[in-house]
Amino acid sequence: MEAKVLQSLLVCNLTEMETIGRRPGGSIRFNHQRVWNQQRLQASICLPTNRASNKQRPNALDVSCSYKNFPAPIFESQSSHDDHMILKNKAQEIEPYLSGRCINLVGMMGSGKTTVGKVLLQVLSYSFCDSDSLVEQEVNGTPVSDIFQLYGEGFFRDKETQILHKLSRMHLIVVSTGGGAVMRPINWKYMHSGISVWLDVPLEALAKRISAVGTKSRPLLHNGSEDAYRDAYKRLSTLMEERSDAYANANARVSLENMVAKLGYMDVTSLSPVDIAIEVLGQIKNYLRDEGRASFGTL
């Protein structure tokens, strides 16, 4: 899961989080206790539960909060200064037209949603949530793989839907969603309260990424086979057949194959997270223009 690559990173500052907190239905509690070696603050996003009973307390989702000047090797070392400037300029151009709407990253497991989200946080006044991590926190810190084993996939998907519902009431958040979240129409209702972006990665690249780091944390892929790549590719192919139409519901699509052709690269492994983040903002820009919310000059 994306949650296993980077545990629920929430990059923010007090002003931004107060903006989120003032939105009806949500609030922010700060515990200013710094984890010095990672420059993190602890925070809790308090989101409403069913209000049928006044005795119910808000449901607290504990996440971590990092300064924007935390070490970010993905952002700083894998791309040129020119790429960084392009990314920043695109962010500055479109952010006023986002109107604070959340950006929901969707795609197959291993497609880089968390990594790209981390890059976007360097240039947007947004925070970050990983829906898998929030589900884990809802189940007393139980890893997603254990949730599948102990309670079943249906239980996990119900929790995932609850999380997406709550996040849909918030502003200024980049959300990394689980790979299967797109299969429930109700989830699209929640994700379309913001802007959804599909990171479309070739299956060969996904299988290589996942088999290289292991499948133990990915319950839909893990089977203990000796040929991890072959089995990952076979299972990913099946999942993609089931999900491709659902992914197409996203407001914008970032095709890594198209990016490779456009940039003249050999394959998708040549693309950096910054390259992909630039394309994400470019596709969001196209969506906003088509939606009629903004009038931009030439790309």
Side-chain angles (χ1 to χ4, degrees), residues 231-251:
D231 287 350
Y233 182 83
K234 182 178 179 180
R235 180 58 178 146
L236 287 168
S237 298
T238 300
L239 289 173
M240 191 60 181
E241 288 180 6
E242 297 171 354
R243 298 174 178 177
S244 58
D245 289 343
Y247 285 132
N249 286 319
N251 300 126

Side-chain angles (χ1 to χ4, degrees), residues 42 45 51 53 116 124 132 163 187 201-202 217 228 266 282 297:
Q42 294 303 312
I45 299 181
R51 296 176 182 268
S53 172
V116 172
L124 292 172
D132 283 351
I163 292 295
N187 291 346
V201 182
S217 65
M266 291 293 295

